[in-house]
């Protein structure tokens, strides 16, 4: 064989190898494009998820801000409640003191009521005594009136006697 034929064969072999490599490169390129397409899909999905995550993070930040506001409001409410509790305790103490004063007043009123009942009983006895005395006085007055009537009659009789003596 001559060198030209060998060269042609080598060239044909090289061309065949190049054709195989070209096919492999095409298959590889096609596979790379598929991978690239998949990567673009994954990238798009990741961007969508990132957008969703950013939205979620933004919503979480808003919720955290709202929670902080709520916590501040709760702290304010707790302070107000503590103040109200202190005021209520003060009022309860004042009410207890007032209750104690009322109980002392009630005790005094009971003592006064008992004294008034005793005084009332004494007054009833005095009234009964006065009524008896008035009855006795009326009897005495009737006797005195009888005696006065007798004296008047005696006086009139004496006058008549003195008048008859003078004549």
């Amino acid at each position: 064989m001559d060198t030209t034929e060998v060269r042609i064969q080598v060239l044909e072999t090289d061309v065949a190898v190049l054709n195989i490599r070209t096919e492999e490169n095409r298959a590889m390129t096609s596979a790379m494009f598929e991978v690239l397409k998949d990567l673009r899909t994954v990238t798009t999905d990741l961007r969508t998820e990132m957008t969703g995550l950013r939205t979620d993070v933004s919503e979480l930040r808003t919720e955290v801000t709202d929670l902080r506001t709520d916590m501040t409001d709760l702290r304010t409410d707790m302070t107000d409640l503590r103040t109200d509790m202190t005021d209520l305790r003060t009022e309860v103490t004042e009410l207890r003191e007032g209750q104690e004063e009322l109980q002392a007043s009630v005790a005094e009123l009971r003592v006064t009521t008992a004294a008034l009942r005793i005084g009332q009983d004494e007054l009833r006895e005095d009234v009964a005594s006065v009524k008896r005395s008035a009855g006795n006085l009326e009897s005495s007055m009737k006797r005195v009136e009888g005696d006065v009537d007798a004296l008047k009659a005696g006086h009139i009789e004496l006058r008549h006697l003195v008048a008859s003596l003078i004549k």
Side-chain angles (χ1 to χ4, degrees):
M1 276 206 181
D2 84 42
T3 54
T4 312
E5 280 181 28
V6 170
R7 279 183 169 175
I8 288 178
Q9 269 187 347
V10 169
L11 282 175
E12 283 178 350
T13 305
D14 285 345
V15 168
V17 168
L18 282 175
N19 281 338
I20 291 171
R21 284 188 182 159
T22 302
E23 278 304 313
E24 287 175 356
N25 281 339
R26 281 187 188 150
M28 185 86 88
T29 302
S30 179
M32 285 173 60
F33 279 123
E34 284 297 316
V35 167
L36 245 163
K37 182 180 171 187
D38 291 344
L39 281 174
R40 283 185 182 142
T41 303
V42 168
T43 302
T44 303
D45 292 346
L46 284 175
R47 283 185 181 146
T48 303
E49 281 187 44
M50 281 294 291
T51 302
L53 287 174
R54 284 184 181 141
T55 302
D56 291 346
V57 166
S58 176
E59 289 173 357
L60 284 173
R61 284 184 179 144
T62 302
E63 284 184 31
V64 165
T65 301
D66 291 346
L67 286 173
R68 285 184 178 147
T69 302
D70 290 347
M71 290 268 302
T72 301
D73 292 346
L74 284 173
R75 285 184 180 129
T76 302
D77 290 347
M78 286 293 291
T79 302
D80 292 347
L81 283 174
R82 284 185 182 126
T83 302
D84 291 347
M85 287 286 290
T86 302
D87 293 346
L88 283 174
R89 284 184 180 131
T90 302
E91 288 178 19
V92 165
T93 301
E94 290 172 358
L95 285 173
R96 285 186 180 145
E97 290 170 359
Q99 184 180 14
E100 290 170 1
E101 289 174 9
L102 280 174
Q103 287 172 344
S105 296
V106 166
E108 289 176 20
L109 283 173
R110 285 184 180 146
V111 168
T112 304
T113 302
L116 286 173
R117 283 188 181 138
I118 291 170
Q120 186 179 20
D121 291 341
E122 290 173 358
L123 281 175
R124 283 185 183 147
E125 289 174 12
D126 290 348
V127 167
S129 177
V130 166
K131 283 182 180 178
R132 280 192 304 274
S133 294
N136 291 338
L137 186 61
E138 282 178 11
S139 298
S140 296
M141 286 297 290
K142 285 182 184 177
R143 273 188 243 132
V144 168
E145 284 174 357
D147 290 344
V148 167
D149 285 343
L151 276 174
K152 279 182 184 176
H155 179 54
I156 290 172
E157 202 176 305
L158 239 150
R159 265 176 144 186
H160 286 303
L161 276 173
V162 169
S164 60
L165 281 176
I166 297 182
K167 280 194 186 177

